Amino acid sequence: EQVPKAPVSPPKKPVVLDQIRLSLVPQVLPVVVGTTVSFSNSDEVGHNVYSSSPAKRFNLGVYPRGVARQITFDQPGEVVLLCNVHEQMSAYVLVLETPYYVVTTKDGNYRLGKLPPGRYIVTAWQEEFQSVAHPVEIKGDEMIRLDFSLTTRR
């Protein structure tokens, strides 16, 4: 039996991913398919955000502080972001087909709000580990605890 997909509507305004102190912030940005991301540069130096990931290939070119450039993520998947000016800069955009997602706290905890009854596959993702997926069924207004053990990617 297939898990039904939830209708996904991207936000009307762009989501911001900033460049601050030679870092891309946030490090991991989950978005739904069709979301536009605005790549702001708040640093004193120029940056070039690009990706060669199959889900979205792009190159924004070098641009200075105070400038933002936008990309719409129209295919699901993991998009690795890099800066060809500063090799230590990297981040991830996870383009999802569901509106049900959450980013964990620094200690790895999470709480995914109320989900409608149904069958779901809950996936844990972290850039240094293999993704782990667990099926879960929500039957009503119940709370389910789901812990994940991740293993290093090889």
Side-chain angles (χ1 to χ4, degrees):
E1 184 175 338
Q2 280 193 320
V3 176
K5 289 188 179 182
V8 178
S9 296
K12 294 186 187 329
K13 293 184 178 181
V15 175
V16 175
L17 193 144
D18 206 347
Q19 297 162 88
I20 304 168
R21 294 181 298 283
L22 301 180
S23 295
L24 291 158
V25 179
Q27 172 71 28
V28 176
L29 178 65
V31 300
V32 297
V33 172
T35 298
T36 297
V37 175
S38 178
F39 294 92
S40 301
N41 183 357
S42 295
D43 271 345
E44 295 290 335
V45 297
H47 292 294
N48 173 15
V49 178
Y50 75 95
S51 177
S52 58
S53 299
K56 190 67 173 184
R57 297 181 200 281
F58 65 92
N59 187 329
L60 298 179
V62 177
Y63 56 101
R65 179 182 185 148
V67 174
R69 297 196 174 159
Q70 297 182 346
I71 293 290
T72 299
F73 291 87
D74 48 8
Q75 298 293 321
E78 177 183 313
V79 180
V80 180
L81 305 174
L82 299 167
C83 172
N84 69 2
V85 180
H86 305 97
E87 66 182 39
Q88 76 273 20
M89 292 177 65
S90 66
Y92 299 84
V93 175
L94 300 178
V95 187
L96 308 171
E97 295 181 283
T98 177
Y100 306 123
Y101 59 85
V102 65
V103 176
T104 63
T105 60
K106 289 185 183 203
D107 59 3
N109 290 315
Y110 69 97
R111 180 181 294 271
L112 186 58
K114 292 187 177 190
L115 297 173
R119 297 181 69 218
Y120 298 90
I121 297 175
V122 180
T123 303
W125 180 95
Q126 203 273 354
E127 64 266 22
E128 296 176 12
F129 296 91
Q130 293 179 6
S131 295
V132 177
H134 291 293
V136 66
E137 184 171 359
I138 307 288
K139 295 181 180 175
D141 193 22
E142 61 185 319
M143 182 180 287
I144 296 175
R145 180 183 174 104
L146 193 56
D147 294 323
F148 292 89
S149 292
L150 302 177
T151 57
T152 307
R153 290 186 187 202
R154 294 180 203 229

